[in-house]
Amino acid sequence: MSVMNWSSLSLFTTKPMPLCKGKVSVGAVTKILLRDLPLGRVVVLQHRDLDEVVAQELIDRKVKAVINCETTMSGTYPTQGPLMLLQQQIPILEVDISTFEDFLPNSEITIYENELRFSDRHAACTLFTREKWLDLQQQANARTDTLMEQFIENSLTYALREKDAVMEPLPPLTLRTEMVHQHVLVVSRGRGYKKDLSAAKAFIADVKPVLIGVDGGADALLECGYLPDLIVGDMDSVTDRALTCGAELIVHAYPDGRAPGLVRTDALGLFAHALPCFGTSEDFALLLANEQGAEWLVTVGAHTHMIDFLEKGRAGMGSTLLVRMKIGARLVDIKSIGALYKPSFFWKREAVMTIVLSLFFIGLGLFQMHWILRRAAHVVWRLGGGS
């Protein structure tokens, strides 16, 4: 009997099965990549600490896999972003940042657990697993108190530095959109913003507020069938489709007057106001609506807590605290509206039903009274000798 040697045995060796294949979309700046990302792509990112908003966008675009040339999760703060992708069976592969330039847009790639094959090249990769997420999440949770202390100190430091700026009015601006005594809905690209906007349909239909999209928030309005009245922001995460929808455009400029967003609007041949303001574009939109005389400001997707701001790369929320202090009780979140607001058409329907039922019972009572009177008259007639 012959003995099988290693070379013949290798003929029967099973080749590793790929995790997936697909066309590549590459983006060094994730929010710019997401603007026009086609469905079903393999995305190559440089995104440290993949946050929930980006994860949901990737899920909505039905990506096949995420190749990250940065640290997907550092354990600095808790985040559900990577877990959200893994729960949707979307693999996350981490590669060295030096390989980023090797990925060509629209090229074909085959992904294995430990290797990427594309354009006749090979690159080693590491699969990001649920176990790794859990370990890093526990590390992040363990240092939350220290992180919170640093965040508070940073917020207070910037609040003290910017307190004079928040007291000053914005430069005068004449808009065609009237906001005096109007309700204003400000939509930002924050956690759960699409879901919250969808849930606000009754409120929007009944109140008909002025609609302001903060950068990519304008696209969420369009996706839900609304035309934004104004688009405010740096103009980096909003699509060309939104910018050309006919809304008034206001570029958030730096306090020194520089306005990088004008480069994009100019390239599209669009007129845009440029207004300098401290803080985030979300802060800017709220201050603008407040100074334009809005009666009630409602936020969708607003950034409100520490993790929100850390995911945006901001180590504090000093400007946001100041803006909310300035606006006061006229500023509410759509989640509160959803819990407390009852559209007037429900009241109208109930009023109509009440009137209908009242008329029914009145009619029934009159019919019964008529029947009783007829019976009484008949009895009297009989007693009087009628036949």
Side-chain angles (χ1 to χ4, degrees), residues 179 184 186 212 284-295 297:
M179 284 185 266
V184 175
V186 179
I212 299 180
F284 173 49
L286 292 173
L287 277 177
L288 177 68
N290 180 62
E291 296 199 11
Q292 290 284 322
E295 181 177 333
L297 287 80

Side-chain angles (χ1 to χ4, degrees), residues 16-20 67 93-95 103 109-118 120-127:
M17 291 292 294
L19 297 177
C20 66
I67 300 170
L93 296 307
E94 294 184 310
V95 298
F103 295 96
I109 190 168
T110 304
I111 299 174
Y112 297 87
E113 187 171 322
N114 299 307
E115 184 184 38
L116 307 175
R117 298 180 185 177
F118 56 98
D120 298 325
R121 300 184 186 184
H122 299 254
C125 64
T126 303
L127 190 65

Side-chain angles (χ1 to χ4, degrees), residues 164-172 275-278 287 290-291 326:
D164 293 332
V166 78
M167 298 303 296
E168 293 292 326
L170 293 173
L275 206 62
C277 183
F278 73 103
L287 277 177
N290 180 62
E291 296 199 11
K326 183 171 184 176

